[in-house]
Amino acid sequence: MTPEQVAAASKPAVLALGEAYGRCPTTLRRARLLGISGWAFYVTGRAGALGDVRAETVAAALGFIAPDAVADGWDAAARTVRPTEVAAASMAECCRWGEDRLAALPHVDRLATLVERTVAAADASAMPLFAAWRAVPSEPGSPGARAAAGLRLLREHFTGAHLVAVRACGMTPLEAVLAGPEGESGAVACGWPPPYPPVGPLVRRRLWAEAVTDRLVAPAFAALGPTEGAELVELLTEARAHTQG
């Protein structure tokens, strides 16, 4: 497999596995223990690695979430707890989920190793969230925890690349969400209020942006080579099926 083929084939599993911990009830209880809402925990848990920055900066880094919705979550959390504390709690929940859900996966240690090598080889240019998270020192953990943490970072790399690709293709983040699989419901979930622009003219640009995303992420997978790249795709497919089952 070429690096672009590995990127395209692995993307669905990486996007799903990299955020799965956030839907776990135990993760949501962690937000309540911090005294903040689930939304504030989500926004600040993702962007807290940036440190004490303004909501406008967070909105620019997240990209696909409406600025007002970002500000609601970020500012609400900041009144109670520092962003870096929320980020640390979020990553701890990610690792806890990995230990719970991925530990029994065959070859999980190999999955963790390949994901970590991919993350280390990735180019963080124009991807501030990915760069911030990669700079956070990682704690030694079980293979399941390592795999979950690596997948979370790899998901931020894909998401950051997609934001760059969307803007390069002449689309706004809202237009990209509307042209995606969830359409208007996805826009609502990301805090964008109606009315919305027509979707029809955006679909072709969205497909182009997806291809550009794969091209931007491909150098990270080039570090594995074709054989290990194909192995990673297989392991990711197994991991996704395992967690869904």
Side-chain angles (χ1 to χ4, degrees), residues 3-18:
E4 283 189 33
Q5 288 173 330
V6 175
S10 65
K11 181 164 54 180
V14 169
L15 295 180
L17 291 167

Side-chain angles (χ1 to χ4, degrees), residues 3 9 47 53 84 87 95 112 138 143 154 176 180 185 192 201 215-216:
V53 299
T84 51
C95 293
S138 58
L154 194 53
S185 63
W192 299 99
R215 195 170 304 125
L216 291 173

Side-chain angles (χ1 to χ4, degrees), residues 7 9 11 44 61 73 86 97 106 108 129 148 150 153-154 158 172 184 190 204 211 218 226 231 239:
K11 181 164 54 180
T44 311
V86 182
W97 177 89
V108 65
L129 272 184
L153 266 67
L154 194 53
F158 267 109
T172 67
E184 291 190 1
C190 290
R204 183 172 295 180
E231 181 186 5

